Every structure is written in C-alpha cells, then in structure tokens.
Amino acid sequence: MNHNDIHYALCQSPEELAVAAALIDQRDDNAHPLDHQVFARARAVVLAKTLEGEIVGCAAIKAGTGNVGELGYLVVSPLFRRKGIGQGLTLKRIEVAKAQGIALLFATIRDENHASRVNLLKAGFHFWRNYLSIRGTGNTVGWYYLALGDEVDIDGTMQTLVGDRVPAG
Ligand SMILES: CC(C)(COP(=O)(O)OP(=O)(O)OC[C@H]1O[C@@H](n2cnc3c(N)ncnc32)[C@H](O)[C@@H]1OP(=O)(O)O)[C@@H](O)C(=O)NCCC(=O)NCCS
C-alpha cells in the first residue's frame, strides 16, 4: 500500500460513525472504554479510507464549543500503522479545526504513548507541561497545544484547561 492510496474525509453518516467507534473500541493502548454518546457529539470525526473505501483509521475533535478544541480518539488499524496515516489524520483535523474557527487545539497524552507524542510534535504541536492524571492513577499525562490564530492567550487558556491538576516531574 502506498501513502497516496489513503484519503481523509469527514465522517458523514451514522454507519461510518459506528465503524469508527468499533475501531476505537479495539484500541490496544489501555484506553478507557469509549463513551459512545460522548463520541457521537464530537465536533468532527475524520476517517482514513483506502481506495476500496475501507475505514482503517479515525480521529476526532472532541465534543465542545467555543474557540478551544481538544483532539482525541486517534486510532489506526494495526495492519496499517507506520505508514503516515496517524499523521494524515492529525493534519486533517488541524485543517478542519481552522475551518471551524478554532483558535487553539490541545491534546493530552499518557507519558508512555511515544507514538502519539511524536505524531503531535510532527504536526507542529508544542509540549505544555506534565500533570498527574486526574483519575488518581499516578499516571503522568503530557499536555500539548497548537495555536491556530495570533490572538490566542496560550498560557492563560492552558492554565484554565489544566485547572487544579497537580504538576508532575
Ligand atoms: C498512535 C497511532 C495512531 C499512530 O498511527 P500511525 O499511522 O502508525 O502513525 P504514523 O505512521 O503517522 O507515525 C508518525 C510518526 O510517529 C512515530 N511513531 C508512530 N508509531 C510509532 C511507534 N510504534 N513507535 C515509535 N514511533 C512511532 C514515528 O516517528 C512515525 O514516523 P515514521 O514512521 O516516519 O518514523 C497508532 O499507533 C495507534 O492507533 N495506536 C493505538 C491507539 C493510540 O495509542 N491512540 C492515541 C491515544 S492518545
């Protein structure tokens, strides 16, 4: 399979959303179970499709309003990894976020998720800070951001988003 054989498109139907949800349910990175109702309210779900129309990856801008958006639900089908599809899904989400008027994108990544961290940094994201997981598991979670407009107060916004989470080394 060639990189050019994959195209990226917004999820347009309940059927496609169900396929995307099934992909996320099969995630092998110890993620928490998918809340299907919250997922269905995502601001955008982006799909990676083969020429035959098979959905081999998905990613979202999570549910929310206003000019700050959160990335999440990134998964690429195991047989299709390391071909740039994760990166393609993230670049497509940035394009969609700009079109939606989002001024700041952020994402949280568990410390051990090297692939996702590289994925964000390659797409232009910056590391903000590490915090302890709010779930009390002792996990370290990295916070990342990408400003899409000049007028964003990055420090103030990120500080508001992290709230009273405890910084981690
Ligand atoms: C994270 C994930 C979506 C990456 O998808 P992908 O299509 O394989 O990623 P890409 O091919 O675009 O990789 C981009 C870069 O990330 C890095 N990378 C990706 N997977 C990696 C891995 N397993 N180990 C080390 N680096 C990795 C590489 O630098 C890679 O570029 P390269 O292949 O040119 O070296 C995929 O591994 C996945 O679905 N994982 C399980 C679910 C998950 O962790 N989701 C994110 C939760 S926040």
Side-chain angles (χ1 to χ4, degrees), residues 95-152:
E95 183 188 313
V96 171
K98 284 181 184 162
Q100 289 187 346
I102 291 174
L104 185 80
L105 278 174
F106 75 98
T108 63
I109 306 282
R110 288 223 335 235
D111 205 32
E112 64 273 23
N113 198 337
H114 177 74
S116 283
R117 179 166 55 244
V118 175
N119 188 270
L120 287 181
L121 294 175
K122 270 194 174 178
F125 273 72
H126 303 280
F127 171 68
W128 169 246
R129 285 171 195 156
N130 282 324
Y131 290 88
L132 289 180
S133 167
I134 205 166
R135 297 175 205 269
T137 50
N139 288 326
T140 297
V141 178
W143 287 63
Y144 296 79
Y145 69 90
L146 177 67
L148 301 177
D150 298 334
E151 72 294 353
V152 203

Side-chain angles (χ1 to χ4, degrees), residues 6 8 17-31 34 39 45-49 55-60 71-82 84-90 93 113 115-116 119:
I6 296 289
Y8 303 94
L17 196 70
V19 176
L23 260 184
I24 300 166
D25 275 333
Q26 287 160 23
R27 247 166 79 160
D28 47 10
D29 65 325
N30 259 331
L34 177 68
F39 178 58
V45 175
V46 170
L47 305 173
K49 293 182 184 176
I55 294 170
V56 295
C58 72
L71 297 189
Y73 309 116
L74 172 66
V75 60
V76 172
S77 186
L79 291 177
F80 289 82
R81 288 183 190 164
R82 300 309 290 267
I85 297 176
Q87 188 62 191
L89 285 164
T90 296
R93 285 183 295 180
N113 198 337
S116 283
N119 188 270

